[in-house]
Each structure stands twice: as structure tokens, then as C-alpha cells.
Amino acid sequence: MEPLYVAHAVSSGEGRNGHVATDDGLIDLDLAIQKELGGPGGLTNPEQLFAAGYAACFHSALQAVARAAKVDLGASSVEASVGIGKEGEGFGLNAILEVSTPGAPRKTARALVEKAHQVCPYSNATRGNIVVEIDLVQAAGE
């Protein structure tokens, strides 16, 4: 693959209890381990950042395939939930994407969601590596 864009970020400090920043300064955040994992909470964490990125990327892919199919999705949205838990001797992730397409009928929306899952870079990166569940939570007429 020949990259069209490369993002650069650095983690410093104590990883999950540290700091992340991008070279352009657009992300410049302190991190904290979630309370559920024994940390103090109160700051963002890698799973939230991954969820935000996946939601935005999948939504963009969905809008692109809908445009190509000349389908109006209405005020569509994608909500991503990313879980972390013990897996073997380490940790693993899972993801749930909840897709809302109030402008498109369910059958049409389902086909577009499946197509978006094939073209989304995050979906391609996670396929076969983590469980990703995609739920169509709203479509036209519901």
C-alpha cells in the first residue's frame, strides 16, 4: 500500500497514565487508566480514542457508499463502543458499531452497511483480529 496520508503521534510518560500528542498539535491529551481497570479515571483513554476514530471512519465509509448508490441516509450516525478485557495472558478488544440511517429503508441500509464494512480502513484493519458487531439500530420508517 502506498499511503496517501500518514498520521504521527507520540505517547510519553506512563503509557495509559501518560500523554499523547500529534505532531501537528491537534491532539494533545493527558490519559488515565479507566476506573474499571484499577486506575483513577477522569481523563480519556486509548479505547475512547479508538472508538472515536472507528465511528468517524465507518461513518465516512457509509456516507461514501451511500453517495455512490445515490441513497439519502438522512441524519445518519455511527456510535462505536470499544471494550477491553482479559484474553489469554494479555488483553483483547471488541467493538460494537450502532448505525442509524433514518433516511434509508432497512434492506437498503443493511446492504450499504455491509459495503461500508468492506471499504472502511478500520474494519479492514480489525477484520479477523477482533470481534466487530454491527447493528442497524434505525432505518427509515421505524
Side-chain angles (χ1 to χ4, degrees):
M1 177 199 73
E2 181 67 32
L4 300 174
Y5 167 77
V6 177
H8 299 276
V10 64
S11 169
S12 58
E14 299 177 24
R16 288 178 168 273
N17 274 327
H19 189 86
V20 292
T22 55
D23 62 341
D24 60 8
L26 294 176
I27 295 176
D28 193 353
L29 302 169
D30 288 328
L31 305 175
I33 295 174
Q34 305 90 307
K35 287 183 181 182
E36 297 84 351
L37 297 179
L43 296 171
T44 196
N45 59 69
E47 289 69 41
Q48 289 175 323
L49 296 171
F50 186 79
Y54 202 167
C57 190
F58 193 89
H59 196 200
S60 184
L62 178 63
Q63 289 176 338
V65 299
R67 263 191 315 278
K70 297 183 178 12
V71 174
D72 181 5
L73 298 174
S76 62
S77 65
V78 175
E79 180 178 329
S81 301
V82 172
I84 183 171
K86 290 291 282 177
E87 186 172 77
E89 293 188 30
F91 287 86
L93 300 173
N94 70 0
I96 300 170
L97 303 178
E98 294 181 331
V99 180
S100 176
T101 59
R106 181 165 287 280
K107 184 176 180 182
T108 301
R110 173 54 53 203
L112 293 171
V113 164
E114 290 173 9
K115 176 78 171 169
H117 192 43
Q118 295 306 308
V119 301
C120 172
Y122 275 64
S123 291
N124 288 332
T126 59
R127 188 171 292 109
N129 297 310
I130 69 170
V131 173
V132 176
E133 178 184 322
I134 304 175
D135 298 324
L136 185 56
V137 296
Q138 182 187 16
E142 297 178 359

PDB file of all heavy atoms in Angstrom, residues 60-95:
ATOM      1  N   SER A  60     -17.871   7.763   7.615  1.00  0.00           N
ATOM      2  CA  SER A  60     -17.405   8.309   6.344  1.00  0.00           C
ATOM      3  C   SER A  60     -17.530   7.267   5.231  1.00  0.00           C
ATOM      4  O   SER A  60     -17.974   7.585   4.112  1.00  0.00           O
ATOM      5  CB  SER A  60     -15.954   8.776   6.481  1.00  0.00           C
ATOM      6  OG  SER A  60     -15.527   9.382   5.294  1.00  0.00           O
ATOM      7  N   ALA A  61     -17.154   6.028   5.507  1.00  0.00           N
ATOM      8  CA  ALA A  61     -17.275   4.955   4.513  1.00  0.00           C
ATOM      9  C   ALA A  61     -18.739   4.727   4.147  1.00  0.00           C
ATOM     10  O   ALA A  61     -19.085   4.556   2.970  1.00  0.00           O
ATOM     11  CB  ALA A  61     -16.651   3.664   5.045  1.00  0.00           C
ATOM     12  N   LEU A  62     -19.619   4.744   5.145  1.00  0.00           N
ATOM     13  CA  LEU A  62     -21.049   4.559   4.906  1.00  0.00           C
ATOM     14  C   LEU A  62     -21.599   5.679   4.023  1.00  0.00           C
ATOM     15  O   LEU A  62     -22.349   5.424   3.070  1.00  0.00           O
ATOM     16  CB  LEU A  62     -21.794   4.513   6.242  1.00  0.00           C
ATOM     17  CG  LEU A  62     -23.299   4.377   6.168  1.00  0.00           C
ATOM     18  CD1 LEU A  62     -23.704   3.063   5.507  1.00  0.00           C
ATOM     19  CD2 LEU A  62     -23.908   4.484   7.569  1.00  0.00           C
ATOM     20  N   GLN A  63     -21.226   6.909   4.318  1.00  0.00           N
ATOM     21  CA  GLN A  63     -21.695   8.035   3.503  1.00  0.00           C
ATOM     22  C   GLN A  63     -21.164   7.941   2.071  1.00  0.00           C
ATOM     23  O   GLN A  63     -21.883   8.243   1.123  1.00  0.00           O
ATOM     24  CB  GLN A  63     -21.290   9.352   4.156  1.00  0.00           C
ATOM     25  CG  GLN A  63     -22.075   9.624   5.426  1.00  0.00           C
ATOM     26  CD  GLN A  63     -21.620  10.870   6.141  1.00  0.00           C
ATOM     27  OE1 GLN A  63     -20.500  11.340   5.962  1.00  0.00           O
ATOM     28  NE2 GLN A  63     -22.495  11.414   6.975  1.00  0.00           N
ATOM     29  N   ALA A  64     -19.937   7.482   1.906  1.00  0.00           N
ATOM     30  CA  ALA A  64     -19.357   7.347   0.567  1.00  0.00           C
ATOM     31  C   ALA A  64     -20.096   6.290  -0.255  1.00  0.00           C
ATOM     32  O   ALA A  64     -20.412   6.527  -1.428  1.00  0.00           O
ATOM     33  CB  ALA A  64     -17.870   7.014   0.659  1.00  0.00           C
ATOM     34  N   VAL A  65     -20.372   5.141   0.338  1.00  0.00           N
ATOM     35  CA  VAL A  65     -21.077   4.097  -0.419  1.00  0.00           C
ATOM     36  C   VAL A  65     -22.523   4.501  -0.688  1.00  0.00           C
ATOM     37  O   VAL A  65     -23.080   4.166  -1.736  1.00  0.00           O
ATOM     38  CB  VAL A  65     -20.972   2.696   0.230  1.00  0.00           C
ATOM     39  CG1 VAL A  65     -19.524   2.239   0.314  1.00  0.00           C
ATOM     40  CG2 VAL A  65     -21.634   2.633   1.576  1.00  0.00           C
ATOM     41  N   ALA A  66     -23.126   5.255   0.222  1.00  0.00           N
ATOM     42  CA  ALA A  66     -24.493   5.743   0.008  1.00  0.00           C
ATOM     43  C   ALA A  66     -24.515   6.763  -1.140  1.00  0.00           C
ATOM     44  O   ALA A  66     -25.414   6.716  -1.995  1.00  0.00           O
ATOM     45  CB  ALA A  66     -25.052   6.356   1.288  1.00  0.00           C
ATOM     46  N   ARG A  67     -23.536   7.666  -1.168  1.00  0.00           N
ATOM     47  CA  ARG A  67     -23.450   8.640  -2.269  1.00  0.00           C
ATOM     48  C   ARG A  67     -23.301   7.923  -3.612  1.00  0.00           C
ATOM     49  O   ARG A  67     -23.963   8.265  -4.587  1.00  0.00           O
ATOM     50  CB  ARG A  67     -22.257   9.582  -2.068  1.00  0.00           C
ATOM     51  CG  ARG A  67     -22.595  10.892  -1.427  1.00  0.00           C
ATOM     52  CD  ARG A  67     -21.455  11.896  -1.486  1.00  0.00           C
ATOM     53  NE  ARG A  67     -20.137  11.382  -1.148  1.00  0.00           N
ATOM     54  CZ  ARG A  67     -19.682  11.233   0.092  1.00  0.00           C
ATOM     55  NH1 ARG A  67     -20.422  11.558   1.121  1.00  0.00           N
ATOM     56  NH2 ARG A  67     -18.468  10.763   0.295  1.00  0.00           N
ATOM     57  N   ALA A  68     -22.427   6.929  -3.638  1.00  0.00           N
ATOM     58  CA  ALA A  68     -22.201   6.185  -4.877  1.00  0.00           C
ATOM     59  C   ALA A  68     -23.472   5.465  -5.335  1.00  0.00           C
ATOM     60  O   ALA A  68     -23.721   5.344  -6.538  1.00  0.00           O
ATOM     61  CB  ALA A  68     -21.063   5.183  -4.693  1.00  0.00           C
ATOM     62  N   ALA A  69     -24.290   5.027  -4.369  1.00  0.00           N
ATOM     63  CA  ALA A  69     -25.541   4.334  -4.689  1.00  0.00           C
ATOM     64  C   ALA A  69     -26.705   5.309  -4.850  1.00  0.00           C
ATOM     65  O   ALA A  69     -27.834   4.881  -5.092  1.00  0.00           O
ATOM     66  CB  ALA A  69     -25.861   3.315  -3.589  1.00  0.00           C
ATOM     67  N   LYS A  70     -26.432   6.602  -4.669  1.00  0.00           N
ATOM     68  CA  LYS A  70     -27.454   7.646  -4.759  1.00  0.00           C
ATOM     69  C   LYS A  70     -28.591   7.415  -3.766  1.00  0.00           C
ATOM     70  O   LYS A  70     -29.775   7.530  -4.101  1.00  0.00           O
ATOM     71  CB  LYS A  70     -27.970   7.783  -6.187  1.00  0.00           C
ATOM     72  CG  LYS A  70     -26.883   8.213  -7.169  1.00  0.00           C
ATOM     73  CD  LYS A  70     -27.423   8.400  -8.547  1.00  0.00           C
ATOM     74  CE  LYS A  70     -26.456   8.860  -9.590  1.00  0.00           C
ATOM     75  NZ  LYS A  70     -25.076   8.878  -9.408  1.00  0.00           N
ATOM     76  N   VAL A  71     -28.192   7.074  -2.512  1.00  0.00           N
ATOM     77  CA  VAL A  71     -29.150   6.835  -1.440  1.00  0.00           C
ATOM     78  C   VAL A  71     -28.984   7.915  -0.385  1.00  0.00           C
ATOM     79  O   VAL A  71     -27.866   8.207   0.046  1.00  0.00           O
ATOM     80  CB  VAL A  71     -28.935   5.437  -0.791  1.00  0.00           C
ATOM     81  CG1 VAL A  71     -29.824   5.250   0.422  1.00  0.00           C
ATOM     82  CG2 VAL A  71     -29.180   4.343  -1.819  1.00  0.00           C
ATOM     83  N   ASP A  72     -30.100   8.514   0.026  1.00  0.00           N
ATOM     84  CA  ASP A  72     -30.103   9.515   1.092  1.00  0.00           C
ATOM     85  C   ASP A  72     -30.248   8.792   2.429  1.00  0.00           C
ATOM     86  O   ASP A  72     -31.264   8.147   2.688  1.00  0.00           O
ATOM     87  CB  ASP A  72     -31.254  10.497   0.891  1.00  0.00           C
ATOM     88  CG  ASP A  72     -31.310  11.576   1.956  1.00  0.00           C
ATOM     89  OD1 ASP A  72     -30.407  11.650   2.811  1.00  0.00           O
ATOM     90  OD2 ASP A  72     -32.280  12.356   1.931  1.00  0.00           O
ATOM     91  N   LEU A  73     -29.242   8.911   3.276  1.00  0.00           N
ATOM     92  CA  LEU A  73     -29.267   8.266   4.589  1.00  0.00           C
ATOM     93  C   LEU A  73     -30.016   9.088   5.632  1.00  0.00           C
ATOM     94  O   LEU A  73     -30.277   8.602   6.725  1.00  0.00           O
ATOM     95  CB  LEU A  73     -27.839   8.035   5.096  1.00  0.00           C
ATOM     96  CG  LEU A  73     -26.956   7.126   4.262  1.00  0.00           C
ATOM     97  CD1 LEU A  73     -25.539   7.115   4.831  1.00  0.00           C
ATOM     98  CD2 LEU A  73     -27.536   5.718   4.205  1.00  0.00           C
ATOM     99  N   GLY A  74     -30.331  10.326   5.322  1.00  0.00           N
ATOM    100  CA  GLY A  74     -30.906  11.219   6.326  1.00  0.00           C
ATOM    101  C   GLY A  74     -29.810  11.629   7.295  1.00  0.00           C
ATOM    102  O   GLY A  74     -28.635  11.654   6.955  1.00  0.00           O
ATOM    103  N   ALA A  75     -30.204  11.957   8.507  1.00  0.00           N
ATOM    104  CA  ALA A  75     -29.243  12.376   9.548  1.00  0.00           C
ATOM    105  C   ALA A  75     -28.600  11.134  10.162  1.00  0.00           C
ATOM    106  O   ALA A  75     -28.849  10.774  11.312  1.00  0.00           O
ATOM    107  CB  ALA A  75     -29.942  13.224  10.605  1.00  0.00           C
ATOM    108  N   SER A  76     -27.761  10.476   9.387  1.00  0.00           N
ATOM    109  CA  SER A  76     -27.147   9.219   9.828  1.00  0.00           C
ATOM    110  C   SER A  76     -26.137   9.455  10.940  1.00  0.00           C
ATOM    111  O   SER A  76     -25.610  10.555  11.109  1.00  0.00           O
ATOM    112  CB  SER A  76     -26.477   8.523   8.641  1.00  0.00           C
ATOM    113  OG  SER A  76     -25.443   9.326   8.116  1.00  0.00           O
ATOM    114  N   SER A  77     -25.865   8.397  11.676  1.00  0.00           N
ATOM    115  CA  SER A  77     -24.839   8.449  12.713  1.00  0.00           C
ATOM    116  C   SER A  77     -24.296   7.043  12.949  1.00  0.00           C
ATOM    117  O   SER A  77     -24.941   6.047  12.621  1.00  0.00           O
ATOM    118  CB  SER A  77     -25.385   9.029  14.026  1.00  0.00           C
ATOM    119  OG  SER A  77     -26.377   8.172  14.564  1.00  0.00           O
ATOM    120  N   VAL A  78     -23.100   6.997  13.521  1.00  0.00           N
ATOM    121  CA  VAL A  78     -22.483   5.732  13.914  1.00  0.00           C
ATOM    122  C   VAL A  78     -21.952   5.916  15.320  1.00  0.00           C
ATOM    123  O   VAL A  78     -21.182   6.834  15.591  1.00  0.00           O
ATOM    124  CB  VAL A  78     -21.329   5.322  12.966  1.00  0.00           C
ATOM    125  CG1 VAL A  78     -20.627   4.069  13.479  1.00  0.00           C
ATOM    126  CG2 VAL A  78     -21.848   5.112  11.547  1.00  0.00           C
ATOM    127  N   GLU A  79     -22.388   5.056  16.220  1.00  0.00           N
ATOM    128  CA  GLU A  79     -21.892   5.057  17.595  1.00  0.00           C
ATOM    129  C   GLU A  79     -21.030   3.820  17.783  1.00  0.00           C
ATOM    130  O   GLU A  79     -21.468   2.707  17.499  1.00  0.00           O
ATOM    131  CB  GLU A  79     -23.056   5.018  18.589  1.00  0.00           C
ATOM    132  CG  GLU A  79     -22.628   5.018  20.031  1.00  0.00           C
ATOM    133  CD  GLU A  79     -23.802   5.030  20.997  1.00  0.00           C
ATOM    134  OE1 GLU A  79     -24.851   5.596  20.655  1.00  0.00           O
ATOM    135  OE2 GLU A  79     -23.647   4.466  22.089  1.00  0.00           O
ATOM    136  N   ALA A  80     -19.796   4.017  18.211  1.00  0.00           N
ATOM    137  CA  ALA A  80     -18.871   2.901  18.415  1.00  0.00           C
ATOM    138  C   ALA A  80     -18.632   2.693  19.901  1.00  0.00           C
ATOM    139  O   ALA A  80     -18.414   3.648  20.643  1.00  0.00           O
ATOM    140  CB  ALA A  80     -17.547   3.163  17.712  1.00  0.00           C
ATOM    141  N   SER A  81     -18.682   1.446  20.316  1.00  0.00           N
ATOM    142  CA  SER A  81     -18.316   1.054  21.675  1.00  0.00           C
ATOM    143  C   SER A  81     -17.147   0.096  21.558  1.00  0.00           C
ATOM    144  O   SER A  81     -17.223  -0.889  20.822  1.00  0.00           O
ATOM    145  CB  SER A  81     -19.483   0.349  22.375  1.00  0.00           C
ATOM    146  OG  SER A  81     -20.610   1.192  22.435  1.00  0.00           O
ATOM    147  N   VAL A  82     -16.065   0.383  22.256  1.00  0.00           N
ATOM    148  CA  VAL A  82     -14.882  -0.476  22.227  1.00  0.00           C
ATOM    149  C   VAL A  82     -14.652  -1.005  23.632  1.00  0.00           C
ATOM    150  O   VAL A  82     -14.528  -0.233  24.584  1.00  0.00           O
ATOM    151  CB  VAL A  82     -13.641   0.289  21.711  1.00  0.00           C
ATOM    152  CG1 VAL A  82     -12.376  -0.552  21.861  1.00  0.00           C
ATOM    153  CG2 VAL A  82     -13.844   0.695  20.260  1.00  0.00           C
ATOM    154  N   GLY A  83     -14.626  -2.323  23.750  1.00  0.00           N
ATOM    155  CA  GLY A  83     -14.397  -2.968  25.039  1.00  0.00           C
ATOM    156  C   GLY A  83     -12.993  -3.522  25.123  1.00  0.00           C
ATOM    157  O   GLY A  83     -12.394  -3.903  24.116  1.00  0.00           O
ATOM    158  N   ILE A  84     -12.474  -3.564  26.350  1.00  0.00           N
ATOM    159  CA  ILE A  84     -11.172  -4.170  26.615  1.00  0.00           C
ATOM    160  C   ILE A  84     -11.351  -5.173  27.735  1.00  0.00           C
ATOM    161  O   ILE A  84     -12.102  -4.935  28.685  1.00  0.00           O
ATOM    162  CB  ILE A  84     -10.101  -3.106  26.975  1.00  0.00           C
ATOM    163  CG1 ILE A  84      -8.729  -3.775  27.178  1.00  0.00           C
ATOM    164  CG2 ILE A  84     -10.508  -2.270  28.166  1.00  0.00           C
ATOM    165  CD1 ILE A  84      -7.575  -2.791  27.322  1.00  0.00           C
ATOM    166  N   GLY A  85     -10.697  -6.302  27.617  1.00  0.00           N
ATOM    167  CA  GLY A  85     -10.795  -7.326  28.651  1.00  0.00           C
ATOM    168  C   GLY A  85      -9.673  -8.336  28.522  1.00  0.00           C
ATOM    169  O   GLY A  85      -8.924  -8.341  27.544  1.00  0.00           O
ATOM    170  N   LYS A  86      -9.572  -9.176  29.525  1.00  0.00           N
ATOM    171  CA  LYS A  86      -8.550 -10.223  29.524  1.00  0.00           C
ATOM    172  C   LYS A  86      -8.800 -11.184  28.375  1.00  0.00           C
ATOM    173  O   LYS A  86      -9.923 -11.564  28.088  1.00  0.00           O
ATOM    174  CB  LYS A  86      -8.564 -10.998  30.843  1.00  0.00           C
ATOM    175  CG  LYS A  86      -8.073 -10.199  32.044  1.00  0.00           C
ATOM    176  CD  LYS A  86      -6.600  -9.908  31.968  1.00  0.00           C
ATOM    177  CE  LYS A  86      -5.795 -11.133  32.355  1.00  0.00           C
ATOM    178  NZ  LYS A  86      -4.356 -10.936  32.224  1.00  0.00           N
ATOM    179  N   GLU A  87      -7.714 -11.551  27.703  1.00  0.00           N
ATOM    180  CA  GLU A  87      -7.759 -12.527  26.616  1.00  0.00           C
ATOM    181  C   GLU A  87      -6.467 -13.318  26.687  1.00  0.00           C
ATOM    182  O   GLU A  87      -5.394 -12.787  26.387  1.00  0.00           O
ATOM    183  CB  GLU A  87      -7.912 -11.818  25.280  1.00  0.00           C
ATOM    184  CG  GLU A  87      -8.099 -12.772  24.119  1.00  0.00           C
ATOM    185  CD  GLU A  87      -8.432 -12.031  22.834  1.00  0.00           C
ATOM    186  OE1 GLU A  87      -7.516 -11.452  22.231  1.00  0.00           O
ATOM    187  OE2 GLU A  87      -9.608 -12.035  22.467  1.00  0.00           O
ATOM    188  N   GLY A  88      -6.581 -14.555  27.110  1.00  0.00           N
ATOM    189  CA  GLY A  88      -5.378 -15.351  27.316  1.00  0.00           C
ATOM    190  C   GLY A  88      -4.534 -14.720  28.408  1.00  0.00           C
ATOM    191  O   GLY A  88      -5.029 -14.359  29.463  1.00  0.00           O
ATOM    192  N   GLU A  89      -3.251 -14.556  28.134  1.00  0.00           N
ATOM    193  CA  GLU A  89      -2.355 -13.949  29.121  1.00  0.00           C
ATOM    194  C   GLU A  89      -2.288 -12.439  28.998  1.00  0.00           C
ATOM    195  O   GLU A  89      -1.667 -11.774  29.807  1.00  0.00           O
ATOM    196  CB  GLU A  89      -0.958 -14.560  28.982  1.00  0.00           C
ATOM    197  CG  GLU A  89      -0.930 -16.027  29.366  1.00  0.00           C
ATOM    198  CD  GLU A  89       0.479 -16.570  29.411  1.00  0.00           C
ATOM    199  OE1 GLU A  89       1.419 -15.815  29.713  1.00  0.00           O
ATOM    200  OE2 GLU A  89       0.625 -17.771  29.141  1.00  0.00           O
ATOM    201  N   GLY A  90      -2.932 -11.904  27.975  1.00  0.00           N
ATOM    202  CA  GLY A  90      -2.908 -10.458  27.766  1.00  0.00           C
ATOM    203  C   GLY A  90      -4.306  -9.876  27.774  1.00  0.00           C
ATOM    204  O   GLY A  90      -5.189 -10.341  28.482  1.00  0.00           O
ATOM    205  N   PHE A  91      -4.493  -8.867  26.955  1.00  0.00           N
ATOM    206  CA  PHE A  91      -5.778  -8.196  26.834  1.00  0.00           C
ATOM    207  C   PHE A  91      -6.214  -8.205  25.381  1.00  0.00           C
ATOM    208  O   PHE A  91      -5.393  -8.276  24.473  1.00  0.00           O
ATOM    209  CB  PHE A  91      -5.678  -6.745  27.325  1.00  0.00           C
ATOM    210  CG  PHE A  91      -5.568  -6.632  28.813  1.00  0.00           C
ATOM    211  CD1 PHE A  91      -4.334  -6.711  29.438  1.00  0.00           C
ATOM    212  CD2 PHE A  91      -6.699  -6.448  29.590  1.00  0.00           C
ATOM    213  CE1 PHE A  91      -4.225  -6.615  30.808  1.00  0.00           C
ATOM    214  CE2 PHE A  91      -6.604  -6.349  30.968  1.00  0.00           C
ATOM    215  CZ  PHE A  91      -5.368  -6.429  31.580  1.00  0.00           C
ATOM    216  N   GLY A  92      -7.513  -8.119  25.176  1.00  0.00           N
ATOM    217  CA  GLY A  92      -8.074  -8.047  23.836  1.00  0.00           C
ATOM    218  C   GLY A  92      -9.132  -6.967  23.768  1.00  0.00           C
ATOM    219  O   GLY A  92      -9.552  -6.412  24.791  1.00  0.00           O
ATOM    220  N   LEU A  93      -9.551  -6.671  22.562  1.00  0.00           N
ATOM    221  CA  LEU A  93     -10.574  -5.658  22.318  1.00  0.00           C
ATOM    222  C   LEU A  93     -11.752  -6.276  21.577  1.00  0.00           C
ATOM    223  O   LEU A  93     -11.610  -7.298  20.911  1.00  0.00           O
ATOM    224  CB  LEU A  93     -10.015  -4.519  21.448  1.00  0.00           C
ATOM    225  CG  LEU A  93      -8.833  -3.727  21.964  1.00  0.00           C
ATOM    226  CD1 LEU A  93      -8.339  -2.765  20.886  1.00  0.00           C
ATOM    227  CD2 LEU A  93      -9.204  -2.965  23.219  1.00  0.00           C
ATOM    228  N   ASN A  94     -12.896  -5.627  21.688  1.00  0.00           N
ATOM    229  CA  ASN A  94     -14.018  -5.896  20.804  1.00  0.00           C
ATOM    230  C   ASN A  94     -14.658  -4.566  20.461  1.00  0.00           C
ATOM    231  O   ASN A  94     -14.369  -3.548  21.095  1.00  0.00           O
ATOM    232  CB  ASN A  94     -15.017  -6.880  21.405  1.00  0.00           C
ATOM    233  CG  ASN A  94     -15.799  -6.313  22.574  1.00  0.00           C
ATOM    234  OD1 ASN A  94     -15.615  -5.165  22.980  1.00  0.00           O
ATOM    235  ND2 ASN A  94     -16.688  -7.104  23.133  1.00  0.00           N
ATOM    236  N   ALA A  95     -15.480  -4.557  19.435  1.00  0.00           N
ATOM    237  CA  ALA A  95     -16.129  -3.318  19.013  1.00  0.00           C
ATOM    238  C   ALA A  95     -17.563  -3.600  18.606  1.00  0.00           C
ATOM    239  O   ALA A  95     -17.859  -4.637  18.014  1.00  0.00           O
ATOM    240  CB  ALA A  95     -15.374  -2.675  17.851  1.00  0.00           C
TER     241      ALA A  95
END
